[in-house]
Amino acid sequence: MSPTYKTRTQMVADSLRTRILRGDLPAGAPLRQDAIAKELAVSRIPVREALMQLEAQGLVKFEPHRGAVVTRLDPDAVAELFYLRALLEADTLFHAVDLMTEETFVNAQAILDQFDAALASGTQVEHWAELNHSFHATLYQAANRPQAMELIAQINLSCDRYVRFELLFAQNGANKAEREHAELLALCRARRKHEAAVLLKQHIQAAGHSVGHMLSRGKPG
């Protein structure tokens, strides 16, 4: 596979992912390969590869006689995804705290400031989940567990729409996220790894419960 081919595939995947996460392509919307290829001035091959990437991330599925469509938010998937996140991320954070440096805290605070500004603006919805993940990942990096980080990144891709959904529609969801992020960073600075791990696990589980509850009641998504 040539570098140009990779670039085109990634360009298509990034474009479609942004539109799905922003809500421009709603759940159930068909993703016609010919139309996408024409719009983005590429061949069908990178479009097909991009759709397969998005399928692996849970954003797209292939249906008989319909082709690729945007997936619906699935309340049955929420519990398992956020359960796995809570277990893996809390354990990774626990092992990271003692190895964190001042640079870790400075970088995490900078991302948290960007996250807070994006939430306050109300106009940067497409960046919310990305900044949320970046903040958490910055704290976990010190654990030096590359396999865990790879799994966390994969699970977070599958959770991305759910995280955005929770921040947008949960009552006080954004304010709660801001408050708990600040508390989590403070606990890490104080090297209180047991409390930090417990808070993180509760933070993730509560978000999952909130999303599952809203989806079961038919909220948008």
Side-chain angles (χ1 to χ4, degrees):
M1 187 182 295
S2 69
T4 301
Y5 181 79
K6 285 183 180 180
T7 299
R8 287 178 178 173
T9 298
Q10 197 57 53
M11 181 269 291
V12 175
D14 290 347
S15 175
L16 292 176
R17 184 187 301 108
T18 296
R19 291 161 68 183
I20 291 171
L21 295 177
R22 202 164 51 198
D24 296 342
L25 293 170
L31 299 168
R32 309 295 185 199
Q33 294 184 39
D34 287 338
I36 295 169
K38 183 177 180 180
E39 177 188 352
L40 299 178
V42 297
S43 71
R44 286 185 50 147
I45 295 175
V47 173
R48 174 72 179 182
E49 292 293 331
L51 290 173
M52 291 175 67
Q53 286 184 18
L54 297 176
E55 181 187 32
Q57 296 168 13
L59 297 176
V60 168
K61 65 178 178 179
F62 289 87
E63 295 185 344
H65 313 300
R66 289 193 68 196
V69 298
V70 178
T71 55
R72 298 187 181 278
L73 295 176
D74 182 4
D76 294 331
V78 172
E80 181 178 7
L81 284 171
F82 280 79
Y83 173 78
L84 291 172
R85 274 196 63 199
L87 284 180
L88 185 56
E89 294 185 37
D91 182 72
T92 303
L93 179 70
F94 179 84
H95 288 89
V97 171
D98 288 339
L99 301 174
M100 290 178 182
T101 64
E102 184 59 30
E103 183 180 7
T104 302
F105 304 132
V106 169
N107 291 339
Q109 184 62 58
I111 295 169
L112 186 54
D113 290 343
Q114 293 179 56
F115 178 73
D116 294 348
L119 291 179
S121 74
T123 60
Q124 302 178 46
V125 176
E126 64 270 24
H127 298 306
W128 290 4
E130 177 186 347
L131 289 168
N132 180 74
H133 174 60
S134 294
F135 170 73
H136 285 272
T138 297
L139 296 180
Y140 308 154
Q141 285 287 351
N144 193 27
R145 294 188 164 195
Q147 298 301 319
M149 293 299 293
E150 184 175 339
L151 288 172
I152 288 170
Q154 291 175 359
I155 295 171
N156 271 271
L157 277 174
S158 297
C159 287
D160 193 86
R161 289 172 74 198
Y162 299 104
V163 170
R164 190 181 312 277
F165 180 83
E166 201 263 342
L167 291 171
L168 276 171
F169 298 113
Q171 185 176 12
N172 298 319
N175 291 334
K176 184 172 183 289
E178 287 182 292
R179 184 174 63 255
E180 292 182 350
H181 283 162
E183 185 178 351
L184 183 64
L185 181 55
L187 288 172
C188 290
R189 279 185 175 276
R191 311 292 180 179
R192 293 158 64 180
K193 59 184 180 181
H194 292 278
E195 293 166 81
V198 169
L199 174 62
L200 178 60
K201 191 171 184 179
Q202 292 173 344
H203 172 76
I204 294 171
Q205 288 177 332
H209 290 321
S210 175
V211 173
H213 180 66
M214 287 188 291
L215 289 177
S216 68
R217 296 179 60 189
K219 290 287 185 181

